[in-house]
Amino acid sequence: MAQFVLAGRADCPYYAKAEILADYLQVNLPNFRIYKITQHPDNWEQWLHDICEKNGWKHKRSPIVWRELLDRGGKGLLLGGFNDFLEHAQHYYSITSDLLSEEMLQIGEENLQTHIQIEKEEEERKSLINPLQVWISSASAPACYHLIPLLANGEVFGITTEISIHLLDRYSCKEILHGTVMEAQDLAYPLLRSVSMHIELDEAFLQADVIILLDDILLERDTTSFENCIRQVNELCKVYGPLIEKNAKSGVRIVVAGKTFVNLKTLMIMTYAPSINPGNIIAMAMLLESAAKAMLARKLNMNSAGIKDVIVWGNITGSSYVDLSNAKVYRYDSAIWGPPSFSRPLLDMIYDSKWLHSEFVTALSSLNSREYHCVGMSPAHVIATVLRYWYQDSPPREIVSMGVLSEGQFCIPEGIVFSMPVSFQNGTWEVITETEINEKTQEIMDCLAYDLIQEKQVALGEIQKMQPYKKEVDTSFNIFSLLDNVEEEKVEKPKEELETLSSGSHQSETFEGEKSASFPDVD
């Protein structure tokens, strides 16, 4: 079967003449098929350039005709322009066209009006189905590359929800963004309405339903003071907050991720976008939670999916406390076996307490180092998982660690973003306040809260330098106290410029004086 593709400028008279001839051939020849493409005159040259570049052709005029080789997987074989198509029809089918120039011009004008009308109807049709507008900042980050397929496959927002993805980053990342957009379009997901790139801040977050912030404040070789890093975070949020207020939808949901200052970024976005419901702005703690589960699973020689209810308290990318007192193990291969709902306390399953107090802590802490390289799969997975829970509910009775604005739960001071256990239900989250904590855990949480309050005060200019926590805390290494040197002063290092970089491009550096058992700055 001969299948031809005829493409041209909508108002081109030669396209009109070729179209009449092609229609005649299709009607009168049983094995002849024609597929027609018209482009608006304003878009024609760019479209022609792109199609020729893609197929390795050289053609500069309207129309262009090529043959689809169906027996070779649809590979295109260039025939040429109008004259080439006319000669082909005359040579193979003994059919030609005697359409007059005046008629060609009239049909060309009618084609243009028809094309404009079809485009208008298509836009109206699309407007009836409003896709979810998803914005990702620092979109050149590795995490973004892995996140796009997860968002577009229908599992996160639902199998009937179309989405449009907007990638935002600096001008210097333009080429990376362009490549990502093209690859995302090649995926041809039915629910992915469009993918676009943005390098101008003025257009950031337009009509956003979901915003995923991957930005990080990362250090160059010479370190600066911890307080100056905090001020840099504040400056970034001073830019993003008003833009979100101005451009995003009032019910926008914001997920803050990254390797550094995640709690503080979340709080400052709330501060500078006051009209956005604070309950719609959350900080990602699930990556640290998942890393802890994976290490515990390797120790138990089981799948990490069987470990539940590990809780991350405090400053997600700073001084964090991983609480295993409520953790449970499901589907563990042992002499005791039960139904899928049967679980056992995790601490009863790990008999090597020395490993918990040393290697486990060290392994999590080592994620801070520059040697740790994250290619983005894990951050992308946990961001997609949290969004899926937010839109479609988390599993019943399952604890998820999340950085949220404190309202005094667990005696945590109000007005700071603190990682605590939550569950998702009916499109919102709720803190699991019935979670039991002991006195020792409460003391640790007081210390973690103190650091977050100080970060907030430095960011808002209320104090110039952070002060160490004065109250005595048991700093012995055990699984319930992953803090060390809590009274050590922050040591100021030589000043240098900071730059907002894409999360995942570099690794953050732990400041001398930070808690040595602080957990990883990961995106």
Side-chain angles (χ1 to χ4, degrees), residues 383-399:
I383 290 171
T385 299
V386 167
L387 283 171
R388 175 163 54 86
Y389 288 173
W390 209 346
Y391 278 84
Q392 303 186 60
D393 299 345
S394 57
R397 299 180 300 278
E398 183 169 324
I399 292 175

Side-chain angles (χ1 to χ4, degrees), residues 206-225:
L206 281 172
Q207 296 299 306
D209 294 290
V210 176
I211 297 175
I212 301 168
L213 299 179
L214 301 179
D215 303 77
D216 266 316
I217 301 300
L218 303 178
L219 296 171
E220 301 292 344
R221 293 181 180 179
D222 298 322
T223 60
T224 188
S225 70

Side-chain angles (χ1 to χ4, degrees), residues 64-356:
I64 180 174
V65 185
W66 69 87
R67 184 173 180 178
E68 298 283 0
L69 304 178
L70 301 182
D71 57 341
R72 301 184 190 177
K75 179 178 174 60
L77 180 65
L78 179 64
L79 182 63
F82 168 72
N83 289 332
D84 301 297
F85 182 61
L86 200 65
E87 291 174 5
H88 179 87
Q90 190 169 11
H91 178 75
Y92 283 94
Y93 310 116
S94 300
I95 298 174
T96 188
S97 174
D98 56 359
L99 196 66
L100 300 177
S101 298
E102 185 177 345
E103 294 173 316
M104 290 165 57
L105 290 171
Q106 183 180 351
I107 295 173
E109 181 61 30
E110 291 174 356
N111 281 344
L112 177 59
Q113 296 304 318
T114 301
H115 178 83
I116 292 173
Q117 182 63 29
I118 290 173
E119 282 191 330
K120 183 179 179 181
E121 291 174 357
E122 180 68 12
E123 288 299 321
E124 290 176 354
R125 185 189 67 81
K126 288 182 178 180
S127 68
L128 297 176
I129 308 172
N130 295 320
L132 205 67
Q133 304 295 326
V134 180
W135 281 78
I136 305 175
S137 70
S138 283
S140 61
C144 177
Y145 184 83
H146 295 282
L147 180 60
I148 291 173
L150 300 178
L151 297 178
N153 65 16
E155 294 183 6
V156 172
F157 302 110
I159 59 174
T160 61
T161 303
E162 291 190 349
I163 66 171
S164 290
I165 297 178
H166 306 268
L167 307 180
L168 175 68
D169 214 319
R170 297 167 295 159
Y171 180 82
S172 59
C173 300
K174 184 177 179 180
E175 292 301 318
I176 298 175
L177 294 184
H178 182 67
T180 303
V181 167
M182 293 187 66
E183 283 202 51
Q185 292 170 340
D186 290 344
L187 294 173
Y189 277 116
L191 297 176
L192 184 56
R193 174 77 65 83
S194 64
V195 185
S196 58
M197 55 179 279
H198 305 268
I199 55 176
E200 299 294 336
L201 273 177
D202 290 343
E203 61 188 27
F205 313 127
L206 281 172
Q207 296 299 306
D209 294 290
V210 176
I211 297 175
I212 301 168
L213 299 179
L214 301 179
D215 303 77
D216 266 316
I217 301 300
L218 303 178
L219 296 171
E220 301 292 344
R221 293 181 180 179
D222 298 322
T223 60
T224 188
S225 70
F226 189 70
E227 288 78 9
N228 283 342
C229 290
I230 292 174
R231 296 182 187 104
Q232 189 75 11
V233 171
N234 186 52
E235 292 303 314
L236 172 68
C237 296
K238 272 186 179 179
V239 175
Y240 278 174
L243 284 171
I244 293 172
E245 282 260 296
K246 175 184 175 183
N247 295 338
K249 295 179 181 176
S250 59
V252 63
R253 300 181 184 186
I254 304 172
V255 174
V256 183
K259 298 188 296 295
T260 55
F261 300 104
V262 170
N263 295 58
L264 181 63
K265 283 185 289 185
T266 306
L267 181 63
M268 291 298 100
I269 292 294
M270 294 176 183
T271 302
Y272 296 117
S275 70
I276 305 299
N277 178 6
N280 281 5
I281 310 175
I282 60 176
M284 286 295 306
M286 199 174 184
L287 182 59
L288 178 55
E289 178 187 318
S290 297
K293 288 178 178 178
M295 277 182 267
L296 293 165
R298 286 193 291 270
K299 182 67 175 177
L300 292 172
N301 194 27
M302 62 176 291
N303 192 315
S304 59
I307 297 178
K308 306 289 185 182
D309 301 346
V310 172
I311 302 174
V312 176
W313 299 96
N315 192 349
I316 298 163
T317 52
S319 299
S320 304
Y321 168 46
V322 176
D323 183 1
L324 303 181
S325 59
N326 295 282
K328 302 178 183 66
V329 176
Y330 293 82
R331 300 183 298 278
Y332 182 65
D333 189 8
S334 67
I336 302 176
W337 194 256
S341 60
F342 175 73
S343 67
R344 301 168 68 182
L346 182 139
L347 292 178
D348 289 350
M349 308 301 296
I350 297 182
Y351 304 104
D352 189 355
S353 60
K354 183 179 179 181
W355 177 84
L356 286 175

